[in-house]
Amino acid sequence: PVVQPGIGNNIIVNPCQRGNPVLECIKGSGKEFGDILSDYQVGRTTGVLYLRLHPEYIHQRIERLGTAFNLRILLVLCDVSEHQDSIRELTKICLINNITVIVAWTLEEAGFYLSTFKQFEHKPPTLIKERVDKDYESMMRTALTSINKVNKTDVEILRTSIGSFADIARTPADRLMQLPGFGQVKVKRIKDAFEKPFRGAG
Amino acid sequence: MSTLLAFHKAILEKIHDPSTSELLLIARGLGLRRLLCKLLQIYDSPQNLIILVNASSEEAAAIGEELGVLGCRKPGLRLVDFESSRRDRQDLYKKGGLISVTSQIFIVDMLTGDIPTHLITGILLLHAEKVNPTSPEAFIARLYREKNKTGFLKAFTDQPEHITSGLSPLRVIMKELQLRTVHVYPRFHQEVSETLGRDRAVLQFSVDMTEYMFEIHVAIVQCMSTTLTELKRSNTQLDLDDLKVENAYFKSFDAIVRRQLDSVWHKVGPKTKQLVSDLSTLRRLLTLLLTEDAFSFQLYLESLIEANTKNEAGNARQNQSPWMMTEAANVIFQYAKRRCYTIDQKARAAPPLPQVADENEDEWDAIRELEGGASGQRSEWPEGVQPVLEELPKWSIVAEALQEIEEEMMRRETKLTARDPGSNTVLIMTSSIRSAQLLREFLGQIDPSAEKGAQGRKLMEENMRSYLARQAMKKAMQNRTLTNSSGALTPSTNGKPSEVSEALKRKDREREARIASRRRIRGGAPAAASTRSTGAAETLLSAISQQDEAIIAALPEMMFDMFDPAALLTLDADFDTEYGMLAPEQTVIVRAYSDDSDDTVLSEIQPRYVIMYEPNLEFTRRLEVYKRSMPGLGVRVYLMLYNNSCEEAKYLTDVRREKDAFERLIKERGSMLMPILDERRPADSGDNLIRTISTRMAGGRKDVTAEPTRVIVDMREFRSSLPSLLHNAGILVVPATLTVGDYVLTPDMCVERKSIPDLVSSFNSGRLYTQCEMMSAHYKHPILLIEWEENKSFSLEAVQEIKSYAKSSNKYQKKKPNAMETTAMSTYNIQAKLVLLTLTFPRVRIIWSSSPYATTAMFSDLKAHNFEPDAAKAIAVGAEEDGEGGPGTNHVAEELLRTLPGVSAQGVRHIMNKVGSVREFCELSRKEMQEILGVEPGKTCYEFVHRGERRAPAKK
């Protein structure tokens, strides 16, 4: 009497996952048990296998998966310090079988991944596509702190004592040197970023 | 030119032989540059190809100059950096001689065969202290020895303190550079101390800090120890021995803490991270206190508060630095302001708040007298502002010393003949260019007749004016922001009256925070609070800050125009260049301590009088060498030192640390097991060959060409250590300029490598999206490699933050699913984005690699049973007619462009093709920008770049 998988807003959980502590950590989307190929089905075309770093067991699961699902995820809970070999092994297997590995370090994180996969099922990729429009000050901060050695205090000083981005661009080095906390190295970095040509002769 | 002392000659004797390779460790200040130039001079010849690696561009320029003085002019030392094209480089290498090249370019050129590696006569490698198994230097040594067994490799370092990695750090360096000999020359080396003797006669001036400075100094140190205690308490696994306040004076302290915490960095909360960064802020404050004038210090503090009370979005920050909440911090802020000015009528209206003010009353009177009842002048300041204008105590000491030197000169005048060497120039050395500048300004405007502590009054008044003007400007800017934004927003968006400017709101918040912090202190430390009527004091303090506001607001617009700080601060900074024109007898040169070029300065100017404005270990050594090489000059050295300050402790610790480092290294050298340098098997060794063949068989192919396994690597990737490790694993590394991906493993497998900070930033900028799009379009197996650093915690950092959050929001008591959800969303930011990425690009695989070593292993796995990639094809993929990338690109500038609003990945390329530099880009008109970027983005970008412009912007 296992329920056939529905296509609602719930994550479908394979009964074999009963008792997995990660279930406790799935927040923000509902869960229901159902007869599915993967351990979790988090979307019409997305299936997740769950693993706690024991690669031996995963082979048969992958085999059972066949070619089902468009996006096949292997969610690995990495809570041991000797992880390198296991992850190496898994990476190889998964690449061959068209599976994407996601590593989580805590149960909460794993739960978060599961629920987010479900929640984002129909989400357009705008979040990662464009820069989110922010206010002037933080844009200025992001821009200037991209130069090594420049911190937010420095940005504040530059902004209040020099002015706009273009003003900063044309400020000579010795003037920058007079600002508190601006040493040779920092000023050189700033000048390199603004004034050195983008490309060499070739 | 500077002469070589006996020990210099001895060292040269040992190392000059071009058939030996070795490492030279020498104490700083003993003249490493001198030795290096001498060596280069010996080797200079068109028949030789000598490569100088790892010199910064300044160092290379200085070495070139010195070589010119030594007589190696045509062609002398040539510099190769990203600005020289590939063809130029090839020509240069062919002609031979002395060439300085950056390590990244050198590696690429060796790999591509642009440089005839087997013909290199030798390599001189600076900064050997940076060598470790993953560093580019190690890669260079390996590539070099692969093809060239006879050339020499001589490595140099004068930073023994930095050789600390691992259990036997010296051995690591020797092994990586494949060296067997090491020469160690500390100051206490027999030959060195015999030559230099024990003549350390220095006239030391000890100065007391002013009362305010002392209070601030004590308070900062107190903040530091509080922060340290806090740090220890929250991280019990820290090794407590190293964490002492005197160690915290050093920059390397951050590294110590980081190293101890690295393996658990993902487990430490944001609080600990805050504490670690607080320590470096405090350390900076300490130096600024002793070197900056009162106004700059005040300005820095204000900016610090500004930057710390707001978060990225401009709201009040959640995690404030704990030290800012302490009473000691309050002392810092209060006294720092009081060093500049006080607010008059408030001070009178209130009960006598600080005892310090009482004691200073007579000083005040003196100041008022000094002004000579010039009420006209007083009215220059806004109503109620009483300038204090405390000067740095060292200023008057310098004046005194100069006075004494003048007398001394007169006395000596009679004995000197014209043929005696040396000049009467006085050389003053300071710790930074900034403090040199300040001292110059002071000396330029000194009022010798004034009493001690008021000689620089003119300068301080000027500083005060520019300070006030700056405040006014800030105000004006905030007002402008307000009018701008209110024009766009409908005023009825929230219940609050929109007239309250954002600036005022923020000020309110700040004030609230300040008051709140004061309250907390009162609760927490009743003993401290009970000394005076706190209620009154509190209202007074908040009143003061209100008063400030009022004063700034009251500054007339006219004043704002008058004191344009830009105009005020462009004082004659090029004093340095002028000294040649002045009669040397009257010159005083103020310089900042720098590297070995100080030696050149000494030997060129030949001063008889040197003032060390701040103690400096290296320079003391330089003076010793200088005195010894100029016998009979009678050099007089003055040293200025603040009593009971961190300066003294810093100097002493410096000496001790260097000595310890040398002793440790000498001990290690004594007991070191000499690394057996195994002859590296060439890349196409048997093991790999067999695998390649079997691959072909499995693929059912017959042509068994012995093709070595290879990976095509983007030029830009040579800044990371992965190519080096791949090479070490026997994989052939082929450098190329790739448009799509960073590594091409097989004909249809392409990898984009991201370190964690890279990952975060390229998610934010949307670059990763474009890159995955490109990879998916061109390759069958697009792969995203997320790579951690060796020994760093292997986890996504944000993970931790949710825990601290959960605690504070009492997760287990009340259940607010929505709140939890958003919290989780914001803390698991990267994870959420990764989910979205995999959903968008289901074909993109992710490799999670804990270190470049792990990556190397996985790459080999993935390459097994697959065909080798073709470089020409990989380059052609997705490439457009585009300029050269790779080492020919200014990455910092590229990165900076990318962060500008309105500039897409495409835009960056367009800009780089059309405009020369970021600065030129900023000068473009709105129209030109729109032509490059498109109408909307161009507008956005133009507005960003020119917002808050001080000068009249170009007419649209």
Side-chain angles (χ1 to χ4, degrees):
Chain A
V2 228
V3 193
Q4 282 301 308
I7 329 159
N9 290 322
N10 289 344
I11 294 177
I12 303 155
V13 182
N14 192 319
C16 72
Q17 290 290 315
R18 223 180 274 274
N20 188 337
V22 83
L23 289 175
E24 289 290 307
C25 301
I26 301 176
K27 298 199 173 71
S29 49
K31 294 160 282 203
E32 61 181 67
F33 288 102
D35 186 14
I36 46 169
L37 285 171
S38 59
D39 290 339
Y40 300 89
Q41 185 166 350
V42 289
R44 195 194 293 265
T45 55
T46 311
V48 178
L49 288 178
Y50 179 87
L51 181 69
R52 225 182 129 178
L53 268 192
H54 293 295
E56 311 81 36
Y57 140 96
I58 206 69
H59 285 281
Q60 38 179 321
R61 296 305 314 270
I62 292 175
E63 218 165 286
R64 262 193 64 199
L65 209 56
T67 54
F69 300 115
N70 185 20
L71 174 58
R72 299 135 63 93
I73 303 282
L74 177 69
L75 183 59
V76 182
L77 182 65
C78 171
D79 52 1
V80 292
S81 52
E82 290 305 311
H83 45 70
Q84 200 164 321
D85 288 338
S86 310
I87 289 187
R88 180 179 169 184
E89 180 69 25
L90 285 172
T91 305
K92 200 163 84 183
I93 302 169
C94 288
L95 204 88
I96 297 167
N97 292 293
N98 295 327
I99 295 173
T100 305
V101 185
I102 296 282
V103 179
W105 281 268
T106 57
L107 284 171
E108 288 94 23
E109 201 184 356
F112 175 81
Y113 273 122
L114 287 172
S115 52
T116 314
F117 267 113
K118 184 67 199 172
Q119 282 167 9
F120 283 3
E121 191 182 352
H122 303 293
K123 199 179 166 81
T126 37
L127 181 67
I128 51 171
K129 209 169 173 180
E130 296 280 319
R131 187 181 339 215
V132 222
D133 229 1
K134 283 185 257 165
D135 65 308
Y136 174 73
E137 271 171 43
S138 53
M139 280 194 301
M140 190 75 157
R141 214 173 260 184
T142 330
L144 292 174
T145 47
S146 78
I147 304 171
N148 201 352
K149 293 258 176 208
V150 178
N151 61 31
K152 57 189 176 183
T153 311
D154 301 329
V155 176
E156 199 64 36
I157 290 175
L158 282 173
R159 205 168 54 80
T160 52
S161 49
I162 302 216
S164 75
F165 189 81
D167 282 333
I168 296 168
R170 58 172 93 93
T171 308
D174 47 347
R175 166 85 174 86
L176 288 178
M177 212 79 93
Q178 292 166 5
L179 300 171
F182 281 66
Q184 263 162 299
V185 185
K186 193 177 290 175
V187 170
K188 186 175 175 296
R189 290 274 157 79
I190 295 174
K191 283 284 107 184
D192 278 357
F194 277 108
E195 293 192 348
K196 279 228 177 154
F198 289 127
R199 291 220 166 90
Chain B
M1 193 49 225
S2 47
T3 40
L4 291 175
L5 295 179
F7 72 90
H8 288 138
K9 286 179 188 145
I11 296 174
L12 276 176
E13 198 66 37
K14 276 194 185 152
I15 63 170
H16 82 279
D17 186 357
S19 62
T20 58
S21 299
E22 58 252 293
L23 172 68
L24 175 67
L25 250 166
I26 189 167
R28 249 170 324 202
L30 289 186
L32 176 59
R33 166 123 3 123
R34 208 175 291 188
L35 290 170
L36 200 70
C37 290
K38 202 75 202 165
L39 267 185
L40 284 168
Q41 192 196 4
I42 295 171
Y43 298 139
D44 183 32
S45 139
Q47 273 84 51
N48 288 346
L49 177 56
I50 306 286
I51 309 280
L52 180 68
V53 198
N54 247 359
S56 69
S57 52
E58 291 86 17
E59 281 171 335
I63 291 172
E65 218 166 273
E66 209 163 327
L67 277 172
V69 177
L70 281 173
C72 307
R73 257 173 257 255
K74 282 174 196 159
L77 182 74
R78 269 112 359 122
L79 314 185
V80 168
D81 58 10
F82 74 87
E83 282 173 57
S84 44
S85 76
R86 192 171 167 183
R87 190 156 303 283
D88 290 350
R89 297 203 302 265
Q90 281 170 337
D91 283 351
L92 208 58
Y93 297 142
K94 259 181 221 142
K95 280 185 203 137
L98 310 175
I99 295 168
S100 165
V101 56
T102 65
S103 48
Q104 196 193 340
I105 294 179
F106 190 37
I107 290 172
V108 169
D109 283 348
M110 278 204 280
L111 281 170
T112 50
D114 281 349
I115 191 165
T117 311
H118 57 285
L119 294 179
I120 295 175
T121 320
I123 296 177
L124 297 174
L125 195 144
L126 296 184
H127 299 293
E129 74 275 359
K130 288 185 189 152
V131 174
N132 63 52
T134 54
S135 65
E137 294 82 11
F139 196 12
I140 288 177
R142 242 182 297 123
L143 284 171
Y144 176 54
R145 285 300 175 214
E146 207 170 76
K147 292 201 184 127
N148 189 332
K149 300 264 189 279
T150 52
F152 63 80
L153 193 157
K154 296 185 195 294
F156 302 88
T157 177
D158 58 358
Q159 312 254 325
E161 297 96 326
H162 292 266
I163 306 184
T164 46
S165 69
L167 277 176
S168 48
L170 189 57
R171 188 168 170 276
V172 170
I173 293 179
M174 306 285 285
K175 180 168 166 277
E176 292 308 324
L177 294 179
Q178 313 193 10
L179 300 174
R180 307 210 54 167
T181 328
V182 56
H183 305 291
V184 186
Y185 282 89
R187 171 65 178 81
F188 54 82
H189 188 280
Q190 199 187 356
E191 280 167 31
V192 180
S193 50
E194 263 169 22
T195 317
L196 293 182
R198 296 201 54 83
D199 168 33
R200 293 188 179 171
V202 168
L203 298 167
Q204 186 171 329
F205 279 81
S206 296
V207 204
D208 280 322
M209 286 179 273
T210 67
E211 209 139 352
Y212 291 150
M213 280 173 79
F214 185 70
E215 293 292 331
I216 297 174
H217 190 281
V218 169
I220 295 177
V221 172
Q222 199 181 330
C223 284
M224 282 174 104
S225 56
T226 326
T227 314
L228 264 180
T229 330
E230 195 75 9
L231 192 65
K232 283 178 194 165
R233 204 169 43 205
S234 51
N235 297 284
T236 40
Q237 69 272 56
L238 279 177
D239 181 5
L240 302 179
D241 287 350
D242 280 347
L243 300 184
K244 282 179 294 198
V245 173
E246 63 257 43
N247 280 339
Y249 291 152
F250 290 97
K251 275 210 183 99
S252 59
F253 180 77
D254 293 356
I256 299 178
V257 175
R258 267 316 289 260
R259 210 174 31 239
Q260 292 202 16
L261 287 176
D262 250 352
S263 55
V264 286
W265 194 244
H266 64 295
K267 287 192 200 139
V268 306
K271 197 178 152 207
T272 304
K273 286 169 200 172
Q274 178 79 50
L275 289 173
V276 173
S277 80
D278 282 350
L279 275 176
S280 64
T281 310
L282 286 167
R283 184 175 48 233
R284 162 160 287 168
L285 273 183
L286 214 45
T287 13
L288 288 181
L289 173 70
L290 297 183
T291 56
E292 290 284 352
D293 67 293
F295 286 101
S296 306
F297 187 68
Q298 171 70 7
L299 176 70
Y300 189 80
L301 279 181
E302 278 172 18
S303 306
L304 198 67
I305 296 173
E306 188 94 342
N308 271 293
T309 43
K310 284 185 295 172
N311 61 7
E312 307 301 306
N315 302 317
R317 254 168 64 122
Q318 315 258 359
N319 270 316
Q320 278 224 15
S321 306
W323 69 268
M324 283 209 176
M325 309 288 191
T326 61
E327 178 148 28
N330 201 20
V331 168
I332 299 175
F333 297 137
Q334 289 301 316
Y335 282 112
K337 175 167 281 174
R338 221 169 290 156
R339 287 173 72 201
C340 304
Y341 60 88
T342 50
I343 280 126
D344 215 18
Q345 68 265 67
K346 287 291 158 188
R348 250 181 270 137
L353 172 75
Q355 308 95 305
V356 201
D358 282 345
E359 287 161 25
N360 273 27
E361 201 54 48
D362 24 9
E363 241 181 81
W364 276 40
D365 286 338
I367 289 170
R368 280 188 202 119
E369 254 164 54
L370 258 174
E371 280 176 356
S375 52
Q377 200 194 346
R378 183 102 54 93
S379 70
E380 183 183 353
W381 314 118
E383 193 73 26
V385 169
Q386 187 61 248
V388 176
L389 311 180
E390 186 181 281
E391 296 176 13
L392 288 173
K394 270 189 188 174
W395 286 0
S396 53
I397 299 294
V398 169
E400 227 169 76
L402 285 174
Q403 187 82 30
E404 196 185 306
I405 288 172
E406 211 167 296
E407 283 158 20
E408 176 74 16
M409 275 180 199
M410 306 269 260
R411 211 168 50 75
R412 277 204 208 174
E413 194 85 67
T414 47
K415 297 179 214 154
L416 288 173
T417 61
R419 284 175 57 247
D420 273 328
S423 69
N424 274 341
T425 307
V426 181
L427 182 64
I428 305 183
M429 298 299 288
T430 66
S431 62
S432 69
I433 292 200
R434 165 68 198 160
S435 63
Q437 159 104 34
L438 194 64
L439 194 59
R440 241 176 252 148
E441 279 172 21
F442 164 71
L443 291 175
Q445 309 195 19
I446 190 169
D447 176 10
S449 56
E451 63 180 285
K452 262 176 96 169
Q455 286 160 318
R457 188 160 178 86
K458 221 170 124 200
L459 172 64
M460 290 306 283
E461 278 174 2
E462 222 163 81
N463 283 347
M464 173 134 176
R465 256 175 240 129
S466 66
Y467 171 80
L468 288 174
R470 203 191 293 261
Q471 298 288 2
M473 188 132 50
K474 211 157 138 193
K475 186 93 189 158
M477 233 165 79
Q478 278 160 355
N479 284 342
R480 218 180 309 157
T481 324
L482 171 74
T483 46
N484 282 356
S485 59
S486 66
L489 287 170
T490 45
S492 60
T493 38
N494 51 12
K496 282 185 192 170
S498 63
E499 296 95 72
V500 182
S501 79
E502 230 174 277
L504 274 177
K505 270 192 235 160
R506 207 192 50 242
K507 279 276 179 196
D508 279 344
R509 243 192 333 259
E510 256 169 52
R511 201 175 309 140
E512 267 165 33
R514 241 178 282 165
I515 292 168
S517 76
R518 229 169 277 128
R519 281 214 188 95
R520 260 180 55 176
I521 293 153
R522 194 144 54 100
S530 61
T531 49
R532 63 179 76 105
S533 57
T534 39
E538 191 171 296
T539 44
L540 170 77
L541 287 171
S542 69
I544 286 178
S545 59
Q546 248 160 359
Q547 184 73 17
D548 281 358
E549 193 100 353
I551 288 163
I552 291 155
L555 277 173
E557 272 300 309
M558 201 183 72
M559 191 141 170
F560 171 45
D561 291 337
M562 251 164 58
F563 306 119
D564 177 18
L568 268 177
L569 283 169
T570 44
L571 290 162
D572 52 328
D574 44 7
F575 197 93
D576 239 357
T577 53
E578 279 166 33
Y579 70 79
M581 324 246 292
L582 297 171
E585 265 63 38
Q586 281 121 46
T587 348
V588 175
I589 296 175
V590 189
R591 276 186 60 96
Y593 296 123
S594 120
D595 54 0
D596 278 354
S597 42
D598 284 350
D599 283 338
T600 326
V601 171
L602 280 176
S603 63
E604 265 170 19
I605 300 174
Q606 305 200 342
R608 278 194 210 101
Y609 308 95
V610 179
I611 299 178
M612 293 172 75
Y613 189 62
E614 275 126 27
N616 180 299
L617 172 65
E618 289 164 62
F619 199 76
T620 322
R621 294 243 176 81
R622 283 183 219 294
L623 282 174
E624 283 178 336
V625 174
Y626 169 63
K627 278 187 196 168
R628 192 52 56 173
S629 42
M630 294 275 169
L633 199 59
V635 184
R636 233 182 150 144
V637 180
Y638 296 80
L639 173 66
M640 320 250 139
L641 202 64
Y642 283 118
N643 281 332
N644 305 319
S645 73
C646 65
E647 254 178 12
E648 205 176 349
K650 216 164 152 177
Y651 178 74
L652 293 175
T653 322
D654 229 357
V655 174
R656 190 169 44 82
R657 264 161 36 105
E658 200 209 39
K659 188 161 160 279
D660 288 352
F662 267 119
E663 279 169 357
R664 208 182 50 234
L665 290 173
I666 290 173
K667 215 166 135 197
E668 194 194 327
R669 181 179 63 166
S671 62
M672 184 164 47
L673 300 167
M674 272 301 158
I676 295 171
L677 306 175
D678 56 334
E679 298 278 296
R680 234 186 78 81
R681 286 174 301 176
D684 55 348
S685 60
D687 180 26
N688 283 324
L689 190 60
I690 291 163
R691 200 172 64 191
T692 324
I693 295 168
S694 67
T695 317
R696 297 286 179 260
M697 304 290 248
R701 296 272 290 257
K702 288 282 179 276
D703 54 326
V704 191
T705 43
E707 225 180 339
T709 56
R710 63 165 176 256
V711 172
I712 296 160
V713 182
D714 186 44
M715 296 281 193
R716 267 162 279 220
E717 276 299 303
F718 282 91
R719 281 180 295 169
S720 78
S721 56
L722 186 54
S724 165
L725 293 174
L726 286 174
H727 177 264
N728 201 22
I731 298 172
L732 194 62
V733 177
V734 183
T737 309
L738 300 179
T739 316
V740 180
D742 292 332
Y743 298 84
V744 180
L745 303 185
T746 72
D748 45 41
M749 209 182 277
C750 170
V751 178
E752 177 72 41
R753 190 187 77 99
K754 293 281 173 213
S755 65
I756 301 304
D758 266 356
L759 186 72
V760 175
S761 77
S762 56
F763 259 137
N764 285 339
S765 67
R767 188 147 44 104
L768 187 58
Y769 181 90
T770 330
Q771 285 166 336
C772 285
E773 206 173 25
M774 295 278 266
M775 282 201 297
S776 300
H778 294 284
Y779 288 93
K780 207 167 126 201
H781 298 296
I783 297 171
L784 170 66
L785 163 65
I786 305 177
E787 189 178 83
W788 276 258
E789 271 172 62
E790 178 78 1
N791 300 328
K792 292 260 169 86
S793 61
F794 177 45
S795 106
L796 288 173
E797 288 210 0
V799 176
Q800 189 42 45
E801 264 147 56
I802 193 168
K803 281 205 178 143
S804 54
Y805 242 105
K807 258 176 220 147
S808 62
S809 63
N810 283 330
K811 175 171 103 176
Y812 300 104
Q813 284 170 20
K814 39 188 163 171
K815 250 203 157 142
K816 279 191 280 175
N818 271 336
M820 267 311 290
E821 212 178 288
T822 45
T823 318
M825 204 63 102
S826 61
T827 46
Y828 282 131
N829 205 329
I830 308 179
Q831 284 92 333
K833 285 173 177 168
L834 266 178
V835 167
L836 206 50
L837 189 80
T838 45
L839 284 167
T840 319
F841 303 104
R843 280 210 335 229
V844 170
R845 306 279 165 260
I846 303 176
I847 297 182
W848 305 72
S849 166
S850 52
S851 74
Y853 291 101
T855 314
T856 311
M858 285 193 254
F859 274 12
S860 315
D861 281 355
L862 298 181
K863 282 185 64 58
H865 313 292
N866 269 311
F867 294 109
E868 297 303 330
D870 180 25
K873 259 186 216 150
I875 293 168
V877 164
E880 296 166 30
E881 72 289 31
D882 196 7
E884 190 193 348
T889 314
N890 182 355
H891 299 289
V892 200
E894 199 182 338
E895 208 61 41
L896 184 61
L897 273 186
R898 215 166 256 147
T899 58
L900 299 181
V903 179
S904 61
Q906 283 288 329
V908 171
R909 231 177 303 153
H910 285 312
I911 294 171
M912 289 178 57
N913 285 341
K914 295 218 168 95
V915 193
S917 68
V918 180
R919 182 171 172 184
E920 279 175 44
F921 177 69
C922 289
E923 303 295 342
L924 294 182
S925 69
R926 179 191 294 253
K927 209 157 171 212
E928 287 167 310
M929 255 188 220
Q930 284 174 331
E931 268 164 31
I932 297 180
L933 293 171
V935 178
E936 247 335 282
K939 183 167 162 262
T940 322
C941 188
Y942 183 85
E943 273 164 11
F944 170 79
V945 166
H946 291 282
R947 180 149 166 197
E949 192 94 295
R950 292 286 155 88
R951 282 195 241 154
K955 290 283 164 259
K956 291 140 204 178

